[in-house]
Amino acid sequence: MAYKFATKAIHAGQQSDPTTGAVMTPIYQTSTYQQASPGEHKGYEYSRGTNPTRKALEDCLAALENGQHGLAFSSGMAATDCVLRLLKPGDEVVTGDDLYGGSYRIFTKVYEAYGITFKFVNTSDADAVREAITDKTKLIWVETPTNPTLKIADVAAIGQVAKDKKVLYVVDNTFASPYLQNPLDLGADIVMHSATKYINGHSDVVMGALVMNSDELYKQLFFFYNAVGGTPGPQDSFLALRGIKTLHLRMEAHCANGRKVAEYLRNHPKVEKIYWPGFEDHPGHDIAKKQMRDFGGMISIVLKGADLKETFRISSQFKVFTLAESLGGVESLINHPATMTHGSIPKEIREKVGVVDNLIRISVGIEDADDLIADLEQALV
Ligand SMILES: *Cc1c(COP(=O)(O)O)cnc(C)c1O
């Protein structure tokens, strides 16, 4: 039976506990499982590889992304690392020029040392992706909307490139969440999430996820997941499962508040530039409209005439918004990418894609929009 999103968010992967009838999936706080005789067990041997609380979460994540298999990791970066382990020295990766700082860091500072080459292109242009592919290209890694300038990649158009060129295609769907966008339906082979963000949604867990359809790919990824061991414990898996139960409600509220805040900021005299894909004049608006159900609660602004010092001063004046890394929680956050989330990207590279010293990224939470706007009003002076 194909249930709709809200039903899947609450029930997928979860049954009442067979021993007690507990309605909520128990936290199976155990590292190991009894075997009747060597190798004879109930499907669980050791919790690095499998744990029932984590399995419920993985099945739920798979259902939300319309995929067959889910894998949960101890962070988004551990999930990314698991995918990169599919590569061999000499392989090439084509990826975006505006990426989460940690993704850029693991590509250039960890995997380049193992002989893997990364090409950074403008993924808003599917032809640029096509042109960058050589016979050594094994992977296309796309983030959309991008962090922090909210550029949009056409997931289906790049899916066609990946299919034509027979290259594995991964989409980092963290910014959209599975409620707004489902890349597997548009031709991606793997969806990656930092579940730390919208999926868990309460800023109390660090977690990552991969979802895929192919049994073969699942087998390969599961091997590295278990062999390397970056898997989350049962307590965090439980919290993420609980967070997911309101994902649809939270995303509706993030999108509604995002729109109000974006519209307020668009005409603000202190705002030189605003990035939000919901605006018709955003260069990716039409594609966003086609592939996303709504435009989300992530907004970036460039402060008019502000140097680093002035940007820092304004960043410290908020009372409802909290100045912090991360995004996607129920509480509103502001972030200074140049020195915080994207500090690991060299200045000349980040400035080329618009991550300038006076850019502020806003994760619009689900507080009352009037209070958020009043806070912006008092801070942007
Ligand atoms: C946060 C983030 C990551 C990394 O995830 P962690 O859970 O922090 O390890 C990857 N991609 C994007 C787009 C992110 O925002």
Side-chain angles (χ1 to χ4, degrees):
M1 173 112 169
Y3 291 113
K4 293 190 176 174
F5 193 93
T7 311
K8 291 193 287 190
I10 292 166
H11 295 291
Q14 299 153 78
Q15 306 80 49
S16 303
D17 182 50
T19 46
T20 62
V23 170
M24 287 302 133
T25 305
I27 302 166
Y28 285 93
Q29 193 76 44
T30 185
S31 61
T32 191
Y33 307 84
Q34 184 185 26
Q35 307 197 2
S37 67
E40 194 189 317
H41 52 74
K42 299 184 163 80
Y44 296 95
E45 292 167 86
Y46 186 61
S47 281
R48 182 183 349 97
T50 42
N51 174 280
T53 318
R54 191 199 305 150
K55 181 76 170 91
L57 169 66
E58 292 173 334
D59 289 350
C60 185
L61 288 165
L64 296 183
E65 282 290 8
N66 303 329
Q68 288 301 314
H69 307 287
L71 290 169
F73 294 84
S74 54
S75 69
M77 292 321 301
T80 299
D81 177 74
C82 187
V83 174
L84 296 174
R85 287 189 192 264
L86 298 171
L87 302 171
K88 301 271 180 300
D91 288 349
E92 290 180 359
V93 177
V94 174
T95 186
D97 58 9
D98 182 35
L99 285 176
Y100 171 67
S103 304
Y104 180 82
R105 182 175 55 197
I106 196 172
F107 292 168
T108 58
K109 296 276 170 62
V110 180
Y111 277 90
E112 271 185 0
Y114 293 103
I116 294 157
T117 306
F118 294 85
K119 289 189 185 168
F120 300 93
V121 305
N122 176 5
T123 44
S124 303
D125 177 3
D127 290 335
V129 174
R130 188 183 290 274
E131 279 157 26
I133 289 175
T134 70
D135 54 6
K136 290 188 176 146
T137 309
K138 293 286 148 57
L139 178 70
I140 300 172
W141 183 283
V142 166
E143 199 179 299
T144 183
T146 62
N147 179 2
T149 63
L150 300 156
K151 284 202 294 197
I152 303 291
D154 187 330
V155 178
I158 297 174
Q160 191 57 49
V161 173
K163 199 171 163 200
D164 293 346
K165 304 277 187 180
K166 300 188 170 54
V167 175
L168 189 68
Y169 177 28
V170 184
V171 175
D172 179 341
N173 203 28
T174 301
F175 263 42
S177 88
Y179 183 66
L180 298 183
Q181 178 171 280
N182 298 117
L184 296 180
D185 295 346
L186 301 168
D189 297 304
I190 303 173
V191 176
M192 176 265 165
H193 277 283
S194 167
T196 313
K197 317 294 168 52
Y198 286 110
I199 287 181
N200 179 65
H202 295 73
S203 304
D204 50 11
V205 164
V206 173
M207 193 178 284
L210 300 176
V211 179
M212 68 239 66
N213 276 313
S214 154
D215 296 342
E216 183 52 35
L217 204 47
Y218 173 68
K219 237 187 260 166
Q220 290 173 4
L221 291 165
F222 183 84
F223 172 80
F224 289 116
Y225 158 104
N226 181 53
V228 178
T231 52
Q235 177 88 37
D236 282 358
S237 300
F238 172 86
L239 285 170
L241 259 182
R242 183 164 80 164
I244 288 171
K245 290 182 192 294
T246 55
L247 180 59
H248 50 298
L249 301 176
R250 289 186 282 109
M251 291 315 297
E252 291 285 344
H254 283 296
C255 291
N257 277 0
R259 175 173 294 281
K260 285 182 192 164
V261 167
E263 277 166 2
Y264 166 76
L265 288 171
R266 187 183 176 87
N267 301 312
H268 196 288
K270 284 260 179 193
V271 176
E272 178 185 304
K273 194 164 185 178
I274 181 161
Y275 299 97
W276 184 63
F279 289 132
E280 271 173 31
D281 57 358
H282 181 290
H285 177 76
D286 291 339
I287 291 162
K289 208 166 149 179
K290 189 178 71 174
Q291 69 192 16
M292 296 172 72
R293 291 180 196 95
D294 204 340
F295 302 105
M298 294 303 299
I299 300 167
S300 289
I301 54 172
V302 176
L303 296 171
K304 195 174 280 175
D307 58 10
L308 192 61
K309 195 164 161 245
E310 172 66 359
T311 307
F312 277 17
R313 188 189 65 80
I314 290 179
S315 303
S316 312
Q317 298 204 111
F318 290 87
K319 295 188 166 73
V320 181
F321 287 83
T322 304
L323 178 65
E325 302 215 358
S326 202
L327 61 108
V330 290
E331 70 294 319
S332 292
L333 299 179
I334 57 160
N335 171 274
H336 183 246
T339 55
M340 294 167 68
T341 46
H342 292 63
S344 53
I345 303 178
K347 187 176 166 79
E348 43 322 329
I349 293 181
R350 66 171 163 78
E351 288 197 335
K352 235 193 268 171
V353 294
V355 186
V356 288
D357 284 348
N358 49 339
L359 180 120
I360 288 180
R361 191 188 74 186
I362 302 172
S363 173
V364 181
I366 63 170
E367 302 95 334
D368 192 290
D370 293 345
D371 292 332
L372 297 180
I373 288 169
D375 195 32
L376 287 160
E377 180 103 25
Q378 67 79 31
L380 290 176
V381 290

